[in-house]
Amino acid sequence: MKDKIAFSVVGVVSAAVFGFLVWLIYFKDSSGGTGDSFRMLPAVNAALNAMCTLCLVTGFVAIRNGSKRLHISMMLSALVFSALFLVSYTIYHSVHGDTKFTGTGLVRPLYFGVLISHIAMTVVMLPTVLTTLFFAASRRFERHKKIARFALPVWLYVSVTGVMIYYLLENYG
């Protein structure tokens, strides 16, 4: 019963976050402000994604080397960086709205390929990370380990492609 409740909470939270982001980026009217006061947030978001990536890799290496404390610390830090990213991303897009990519040539399909895969993996990432966290918190490490083998590469992909998207927007978009 405890698992059903936890999985229901994970599902509801994940759906609510994704639904909110879709509304924020594609449906909310953001014509009221220019977003100039928040123009540094995309760089902050990229830095938060980079820090998350660093923590994920360090946490993975730590658990492979048997350092459980460092693993826990790094994975919780990655979670904090991802949560801070989500807050910063929400603030930026609540004022700025959708960011249009204006790049041309070969970089255009590259950008959209990365963006679409990033978004798709984000939808998968949140519930798998929350489920992995649930199994760790409930000390069911075998289940945690099985899901983490899937969650880690997805989370890494989302973090790394987040930085790539920023780079492509800044340099080509």
Side-chain angles (χ1 to χ4, degrees):
M1 185 61 154
K2 193 162 88 172
D3 284 0
K4 277 189 172 184
I5 292 170
F7 296 145
S8 295
V9 169
V10 165
V12 167
V13 167
S14 299
V17 167
F18 185 69
F20 173 74
L21 291 175
V22 168
W23 169 79
L24 178 67
I25 294 170
Y26 297 109
F27 297 103
K28 181 188 173 287
D29 179 22
S30 61
S31 60
T34 63
D36 287 342
S37 58
F38 298 107
R39 76 178 134 222
M40 80 299 198
L41 287 183
V44 169
N45 293 342
L48 290 168
N49 270 321
M51 292 304 297
C52 179
T53 299
L54 180 63
C55 290
L56 290 171
V57 171
T58 304
F60 174 74
V61 170
I63 200 64
R64 299 297 266 178
N65 291 331
S67 180
K68 291 180 184 175
R69 278 193 175 165
L70 180 58
H71 171 73
I72 292 167
S73 175
M74 289 296 100
M75 300 317 273
L76 290 176
S77 295
L79 192 63
V80 167
F81 284 124
S82 286
L84 290 171
F85 164 83
L86 183 59
V87 169
S88 177
Y89 183 89
T90 301
I91 291 168
Y92 179 75
H93 284 285
S94 68
V95 174
H96 184 270
D98 188 22
T99 302
K100 304 293 183 209
F101 184 75
T102 58
T104 60
L106 291 176
V107 74
R108 191 165 181 80
L110 172 67
Y111 171 80
F112 284 107
V114 170
L115 179 65
I116 290 166
S117 66
H118 173 83
I119 293 168
M121 292 306 237
T122 300
V123 172
V124 173
M125 181 200 77
L126 183 57
T128 57
V129 167
L130 294 177
T131 301
T132 306
L133 179 64
F134 167 71
F135 284 127
S138 60
R139 307 186 62 76
R140 294 175 18 207
F141 297 114
E142 283 305 313
R143 301 270 322 259
H144 167 78
K145 191 174 171 180
K146 280 183 181 178
I147 295 176
R149 285 186 174 139
F150 175 74
L152 177 65
V154 172
W155 197 357
L156 273 170
Y157 183 84
V158 168
S159 295
V160 169
T161 56
V163 176
M164 288 174 64
I165 289 165
Y166 169 75
Y167 175 82
L168 290 169
L169 279 168
E170 283 296 306
N171 292 287
Y172 300 98

